[in-house]
Structure formats: C-alpha cells, structure tokens
Amino acid sequence: MKSRILQGRLANEYRTMGHMAQIYCRANCHRQRNPQGLCDQCQALLDYAETKLDRCPYGDSKPTCGKCPIHCYKPEPRQQARIMMRYAGPRMLLRHPLEALQHLRDNRRPVPAKPPMRANRRRRQRTPGSPSKAE
C-alpha cells in the first residue's frame, strides 16, 4: 500500500495500516474487493486514516495512534480501526514481520510534547507568500 500524499514515518504508518486492513478484510469481509484486496468499507477506513495521518499535528514525530493524547478519529472509525488492529496485529508478525517489529518499536517511543493549538502539518509546510484558503 502506497500513500499518494504521505512521506517518511507517516507513509510507513499508513503502509502498516494498509497491510492490517488487508489481513482483516480477507478474513472478515465477504464483499466484493478492489485490486488492493479491500472491500469498500475497509478502503473507506484506510482513506480516512490517510487523511488523518496527513493532518496530524505531530507530523513525523507522531506517536502511534494508541498512545497519542490527541484522538483525531471520530468515534465510529476509531472503533472500526480498533477492531481491525486487534484482529490483524498478532497476524502481522507472520505476514509482515519487519513492519510489525517496527510498529512495536515505535510504540515504545516516548510521546512528544503536545503541539500548539491549531497545529497542522499542512499549515507548517506552507511557505510564506503561498496562497491560503482565506485568500
């Protein structure tokens, strides 16, 4: 799974989430699947996760979502992601062992200080003089 908009650690997190979605969907969703092996509901959750990772105020210093003090997912997608990760997490060791170990290592990293209010990765990347939505 490759992200269209993420880079670095966020892209790795997205790829791990994509592999977990594939494992979960193959075992639990008995609907028509797209070429990535996901049903529409699992693909929608993965697209939602990509958007939330892109807008994460922590940026590349982001902790894993389970340890993050900022809960950016809405309740329903958060519950879906929790169910998916509980199922696929242990199975990741067999199917994608390096990603699973990297995720476990990232989970042990300390949580950085909370970013300032209204911090957003997109806002930080804007260069001075670039047009904003308000203009």
Side-chain angles (χ1 to χ4, degrees):
M1 300 255 127
K2 189 165 182 159
S3 173
R4 301 175 307 267
I5 54 178
L6 300 174
Q7 298 173 352
R9 284 195 68 247
L10 296 175
N12 291 342
E13 186 133 345
Y14 174 77
R15 187 174 52 246
T16 301
M17 179 87 168
H19 287 139
M20 286 184 171
Q22 285 176 335
I23 292 169
Y24 177 82
C25 192
R26 268 190 217 124
N28 297 300
C29 301
H30 305 291
R31 298 180 205 102
Q32 182 70 27
R33 293 194 185 102
N34 64 17
Q36 286 86 23
L38 299 174
C39 68
D40 291 339
Q41 186 178 7
C42 291
Q43 184 64 51
L45 179 62
L46 191 59
D47 293 342
Y48 181 79
E50 182 179 35
T51 301
K52 291 301 179 178
L53 284 169
D54 183 47
R55 295 180 182 165
C56 180
Y58 282 105
D60 278 340
S61 64
K62 177 192 173 319
T64 57
C65 292
K67 291 180 74 174
C68 189
I70 301 171
H71 299 296
C72 54
Y73 281 33
K74 292 180 181 175
E76 185 180 328
R78 185 172 179 209
Q79 184 63 27
Q80 288 174 336
R82 180 178 285 142
I83 290 168
M84 182 187 69
M85 288 182 184
R86 277 200 183 139
Y87 178 83
R91 290 158 179 84
M92 282 286 288
L93 283 170
L94 296 174
R95 301 227 176 127
H96 303 282
L98 295 178
E99 281 184 29
L101 292 174
Q102 181 179 2
H103 185 69
L104 289 172
R105 188 190 72 208
D106 287 347
N107 202 21
R108 297 180 58 88
R109 291 176 54 195
V111 177
K114 205 169 184 179
M117 288 294 285
R118 299 267 191 210
N120 185 311
R121 195 172 80 82
R122 286 194 181 269
R123 286 192 188 114
R124 286 193 306 268
Q125 287 181 344
R126 264 192 216 129
T127 57
S130 67
S132 65
K133 288 186 178 183
E135 293 177 358

